[in-house]
Amino acid sequence: MKEPVGTTGLIFNEPLLWERGAKGRSGFSLPPRDVASSHVADDLRGDGPDFPDLSELDVVRHFTRLSQWNFGVDSGMYPLGSCTMKYNPKTNERQAGLPGLAVSHPLLPQELSQGALKMMFDLQHYLAEITGLPAVTLQPAAGSQGELTGMMVINAYLQSKGEKRSKVLIPDTAHGTNPASATLCGLKSVAVKSNEQGILSTEKIAELMDEDTAGLMVTNPNTLGLFEEDIQKVTEIVHAKGGLVYGDGANMNAIMGIVDIQKLGVDVLHLNLHKTFSTPHGGGGPGSGPICVTEALEPFLPVPRVIEKDGKYLLSEDFPQSVGKLHAFYGNFGILVRAYSYILTMGADLHKASQYAVLNANYIKESLKDVYHLAYDRPCMHECVFNDKLQAAHKVTTLDIAKRLMEYGFHPPTIYFPLVVQGAIMVEPTETESKETIDAFIDTMRTIAQEARENPEQFHEAPQTTKVKRLDETAAARNPCLTG
Amino acid sequence: MMRYLPHTSDDIAAMLQKVGVDNVDALFTSIPESCRRDAPLDLPAPLSEWELNAHMSELAADMAVAPQYKVFLGAGSYDHYIPEAIKHLLMRSEVFTAYTPYQPEISQGTLQTIYEYQTLITRLLGMEVANASMYDGASGLAEALLMAIRVTRRKKVAVSTAIHPLYRRVVATYLAPTGYEVVEIPYKADGRSDLTALGNLEEFAGVALQSPNFFGCLEDLKAADELIHADKKTMMVVCFSEPLAYGLYKSPGSFNADIACGEGQSLGIPRAFGGPGLGVFAAKKKYVRSMPGRLIGQSVDKDGKRGFVLTLATREQHIRRESATSNICSNQGLCATSATMYMAILGGTGFRELAALNHDKAEYLKAELQAAGLKIAFDTPTFNEFVVQFPAGSQATYQQLLDNNFVAGLPLEPYYPELADHYLYCVTETSSKADMDALVKEIKS
Amino acid sequence: MTKEINDLNLPDDVRYTEDHEWAKQEADGIKVGITDYAQDQLGDIVFVELPEAGDTFDKGEQFGTLESVKAVSEMFMPISGEVVSVNEALADTPELVNSEPYGGGWMIVFKPSDAGAIDALMDKAAYMDTLKGLE
């Protein structure tokens, strides 16, 4: 194995903000005061917040040091399954930071915000082309809000047919957001077990689908990284009972330019712009979760909708069957700009992203399957799921493997998800990693497998080279300390 | 070669060989032919960085922004100066390109920052606990009311009509599928909510007020506390769209609010045509297990060294699934990071001074408009926004101002049909006296 | 790493349920807690949610939840009845569930609607068989 990228370095200590600073210091320059001060009644006046007073350099050093305790895509490979941690192009930041887009007010008169509206209109069109579903809303602020919106649209459609259904089918491989979104929609989740091949069986769906079931929430490719091969038969069964199919598009990075979502029988699909379309995750968000729907569901999309009329772009509220509004304004516009910028950069080559994402995952799967147990040894899509079965004999767990990977300079894969695979290690390399980097990851994983056989004790102390070692999560939850 | 796709043809050949297939298409055999697209993607040819810059600059130029336009708009989206230091710090790749901090040993930067965010937010709002953020002020309010419904097991909430009308629409959308009832509280002639209209309190899970409210008016939260808490279960929800106000005025917590939530865009986040913003969410500690969203807690590592972790995660969707306190997963982490940097760089002293300056500038414009013969609609203290009543037929004046590059407030009639010729003005530290004088001069003409 | 079945502490003087709870007749009613097996499987308990005295539940109905750091587990009534008292100490010291599952880690005491129903629950031997079946 070559020299690993993970190493020790000079990592600074840095206290909490309020453990430094001195009263009266400031890092902010106020504009010149050009108006007189004005009276405020004593019973209204507060003391103002107890924030520490810091200089500009205090603040700059504080956050620079803190950033050095983090691992990002720009630091190294981040094969976090289900999260599509691809490269976040720098040019996207330039575009989103353009003053006309970054500082424009959302309630400007529409004739004064044509640039933003045109961008949104065109982005809707591109997302429709990419998915095959003709109508799009950009309003949901994240994937889970997209799910909620999608389920509301399904509810509203059924209601327009005079129906109120109470349940929804959700495969056991689904993300937890699916059942949580269903609950917010007043629907009871019914779990569907996947079959021995790790996919949905038509028999199971036929058995559970009835006229009180609003439909099915399905992730395809699913969270095992497998394409739901019987998806068309499954969706036919749901449609035959008057239900609709919600598609979780978290894994769209596997199938862009290849699959036509409408042909799958999916009626609503959400996209995660912060996964498939390269916008940064920012340590937890903001994301953006547009939904794409069939023509029949278009009247129910949230308002306002961006439309074009005589060459002008307008925000229209004139959709009486709409589910309403999910965001105060139009969603996470700044994220939309980044995704738009990405789509224009990739252009008609976008399908190559999916091709290479799938190639990389299969390459890793084939290169590691002799040393890590594969939960389902079948051709995978953009991610593959191993587990710790072969390491269990040496009392080395998935968690240990993850922690050891950090010392070698890699972000660990997603662990212990999906729940249907015990000790899951879910690897999603994405298309932006080069063969050298992927080979280095494979070498490292093989080295770790060997260490697990030969020297399992060292795993329990990993990681050693990070800012902190393993943390006491039990104490944190028993006596929560949430503020300082 | 595409610059985001590093594989050479040799790389591809070697990898295909390892996988044991002849070409890339053969990787997709699990996808039935009938599921595939009929035609390749009909997207434009890839743009070079040069071409993209030109295209995007053209779009951006088609927007009304300063300095060409003088924009006196607030209504939930505020123009505050963002220090350069914040813009630079936010671009630190390690922060910017990280995911949710699931692996604490290599995410301490994000975790400590969000812990600091939670702390500074509780200090700003006078509350005991704050979460790591919601999407925006509107969905935050909806989640607050759903939380009140969960805590009290009651099925009805009351919402003031002086709350941002777009937030109320989001509340209606969120609560509709589960059938919870939303009762609207009217506003009075002074622009404040009329709580006497509430009726039987025991029916309500929560009562929501905004202060400063949509009209910029401070609500009488002292009276609201007494009235709402007359029933010991009913929760008092105080929301806001302009948290800078609490640099000058008393915080929601000082009036015993059970939940304080709202929009944090003011705290160092650009307006960006309405998003991404920051859903700020805080509550009394006794309700922490019913709160939506992520929480960061302090702990120690194996060597006893201080560190931070995601905690109380059993409330969340990835563990509790259909019984979770919310479906939220991705939040507005980077916006919360901006807010932390902003609160830190202002400090307590700077925050108070900036708040005072916003207030004083707004008072200046208010007085000048009054002197010019216009009416200030509500006689109640305000922060940096207020409602101006123009003589009937004001649309022509508004249009004329637009033609002269003044966006003179937000017309309220679309949101409140009874408020024709009323405009919501906003003044922040970025509006100079010269700009305000020019606006008044233009109105007079 | 979890305990082997033979290492589990399974007292003879309590009855067991398939939900891995124990029940014991005491002077003021039936006391309920979770078994050593259950606490071992769940790991460090960080929070216990219990009903209030006076609440009534049917057999099989959920009466509370247990939380570890990364899992939530429900507790179900072994027999229908009315809650007489709950273990207030668990609010501050949930770790008692791990350290003394049959002692300080008890959950509730309830008055059964059918006094004889406790005899229908499993004895130690039957519970051991159940556990072996899970392996």
Side-chain angles (χ1 to χ4, degrees), chain A residues 382-443:
Chain A
H382 65 308
E383 59 195 3
C384 55
V385 182
F386 299 100
N387 64 21
D388 57 1
K389 209 167 165 181
L390 300 178
Q391 285 69 39
H394 310 288
K395 297 209 185 309
V396 170
T397 65
T398 289
L399 186 72
D400 294 328
I401 295 165
K403 300 301 183 195
R404 185 79 178 123
L405 255 177
M406 294 175 188
E407 294 181 326
Y408 283 105
F410 291 95
H411 194 284
T414 291
I415 54 174
Y416 301 106
F417 183 83
L419 305 175
V420 290
V421 176
Q422 220 179 6
I425 304 172
M426 186 192 207
V427 182
E428 180 181 7
T430 82
E431 74 281 6
T432 54
E433 294 303 332
S434 69
K435 181 168 178 293
E436 293 96 285
T437 309
I438 293 171
D439 283 338
F441 174 74
I442 290 167
D443 275 359

Side-chain angles (χ1 to χ4, degrees), chain C residues 8-16 22-25 35 102 118-119 121-128:
Chain C
L8 291 172
N9 171 18
L10 299 174
D12 293 313
D13 61 345
V14 302
R15 292 280 177 163
Y16 296 90
W22 56 264
K24 187 179 181 186
Q25 185 70 56
T35 67
Y102 304 97
I118 191 169
D119 299 330
L121 301 180
M122 287 182 274
D123 61 11
K124 178 179 171 176
Y127 183 56
M128 286 279 273

Side-chain angles (χ1 to χ4, degrees), chain A residues 32-319:
Chain A
R33 182 174 257 283
D34 51 7
V35 299
S37 73
S38 170
H39 175 74
V40 174
D42 283 344
D43 62 330
L44 299 174
R45 187 184 282 278
D47 297 331
D50 176 22
F51 294 164
D53 285 354
L54 305 159
S55 74
E56 180 169 326
L57 180 57
D58 285 340
V59 174
V60 168
R61 269 198 192 133
H62 178 83
F63 289 104
T64 301
R65 288 176 176 176
L66 258 56
S67 76
Q68 291 172 331
W69 307 344
N70 255 16
F71 190 110
V73 174
D74 288 2
S75 319
M77 185 171 163
Y78 211 128
L80 195 64
S82 189
C83 301
T84 314
M85 297 299 283
K86 62 170 74 176
Y87 172 58
N88 308 141
K90 302 306 164 198
T91 190
N92 297 355
E93 301 310 315
R94 185 255 181 204
Q95 316 311 342
L98 286 167
L101 303 175
V103 307
S104 52
H105 194 284
L107 299 177
L108 280 173
Q110 292 171 28
E111 63 272 23
L112 299 183
S113 37
Q114 288 295 299
L117 296 178
K118 176 175 166 43
M119 190 285 291
M120 292 170 75
F121 186 82
D122 289 346
L123 179 58
Q124 287 176 184
H125 169 76
Y126 295 146
L127 297 180
E129 170 61 21
I130 292 164
T131 57
L133 289 163
V136 179
T137 177
L138 304 172
Q139 203 175 113
S144 59
Q145 206 186 27
E147 286 173 20
L148 174 62
T149 311
M151 292 312 291
M152 283 178 174
V153 164
I154 288 178
N155 255 356
Y157 171 84
L158 290 171
Q159 218 159 22
S160 76
K161 304 257 173 245
E163 290 191 46
K164 173 86 189 135
R165 300 189 175 201
S166 72
K167 298 180 292 185
V168 63
L169 306 182
I170 302 179
D172 54 3
T173 49
H175 294 115
T177 48
N178 285 183
S181 299
T183 300
L184 273 169
C185 260
L187 294 167
K188 196 172 152 4
S189 306
V190 178
V192 187
K193 259 180 99 71
S194 33
N195 66 17
E196 300 79 46
Q197 280 95 50
I199 58 174
L200 286 172
S201 81
T202 48
E203 294 78 24
K204 201 89 209 161
I205 297 292
E207 182 189 316
L208 293 169
M209 185 64 207
D210 61 22
E211 264 134 35
D212 190 31
T213 301
L216 167 72
M217 295 181 86
V218 62
T219 309
N220 193 18
N222 68 22
T223 57
L224 293 166
L226 306 175
F227 192 82
E228 292 286 350
E229 292 176 21
D230 295 325
I231 185 72
Q232 285 172 319
K233 284 181 216 140
V234 163
T235 56
E236 265 170 42
I237 296 168
V238 174
H239 288 152
K241 296 273 183 187
L244 295 180
V245 178
Y246 174 84
D248 182 322
N251 295 341
M252 191 68 196
N253 206 45
I255 54 175
M256 281 188 294
I258 297 153
V259 169
D260 182 333
I261 302 294
Q262 181 133 260
K263 284 191 185 175
L264 303 182
V266 167
D267 301 284
V268 187
L269 179 88
H270 93 256
L271 295 169
N272 296 92
L273 299 187
H274 49 290
K275 296 180 180 175
T276 316
F277 296 92
S278 85
T279 75
H281 286 74
S288 177
I291 63 169
C292 310
V293 302
T294 57
E295 208 174 317
L297 294 183
E298 180 167 11
F300 306 97
L301 287 178
V303 284
R305 301 201 54 213
V306 187
I307 58 167
E308 187 191 8
K309 207 172 166 190
D310 309 327
K312 287 282 169 205
Y313 299 93
L314 303 170
L315 286 163
S316 173
E317 293 272 352
D318 192 17
F319 294 89

Side-chain angles (χ1 to χ4, degrees), chain A residues 94-95 98 101 115 118-119 122 126 340-341 344, chain B residues 44 47-62:
Chain A
R94 185 255 181 204
Q95 316 311 342
L98 286 167
L101 303 175
K118 176 175 166 43
M119 190 285 291
D122 289 346
Y126 295 146
Y340 176 79
S341 158
L344 289 186
Chain B
L47 294 186
S48 70
E49 198 163 358
W50 299 74
E51 294 163 308
L52 181 67
N53 286 351
H55 172 69
M56 296 303 292
S57 296
E58 203 177 304
L59 283 179
D62 211 359

Side-chain angles (χ1 to χ4, degrees), chain A residues 19 34 46 53 70 74 95 102 104-105 129 144 183 232 263 281 283-284 317 340 360 403 460 469 472, chain B residues 7 34 36-38 42 53 55 74 93 98-99 110 135 169 272-273 299 301-302 306 322 331 349 361:
Chain A
E19 290 167 356
D34 51 7
D53 285 354
N70 255 16
D74 288 2
Q95 316 311 342
S104 52
H105 194 284
E129 170 61 21
S144 59
T183 300
Q232 285 172 319
K263 284 191 185 175
H281 286 74
E317 293 272 352
Y340 176 79
N360 291 353
K403 300 301 183 195
H460 309 306
K469 297 183 182 170
D472 188 343
Chain B
H7 289 347
S34 56
R36 299 187 184 219
R37 294 177 64 96
D38 297 324
D42 183 15
N53 286 351
H55 172 69
S93 278
Y99 198 71
T110 296
Y135 306 130
R169 287 181 61 189
F273 206 53
S299 189
D301 78 354
K302 281 189 154 180
R306 179 167 70 188
E322 63 268 25
N331 57 22
T349 306
K361 287 197 176 237

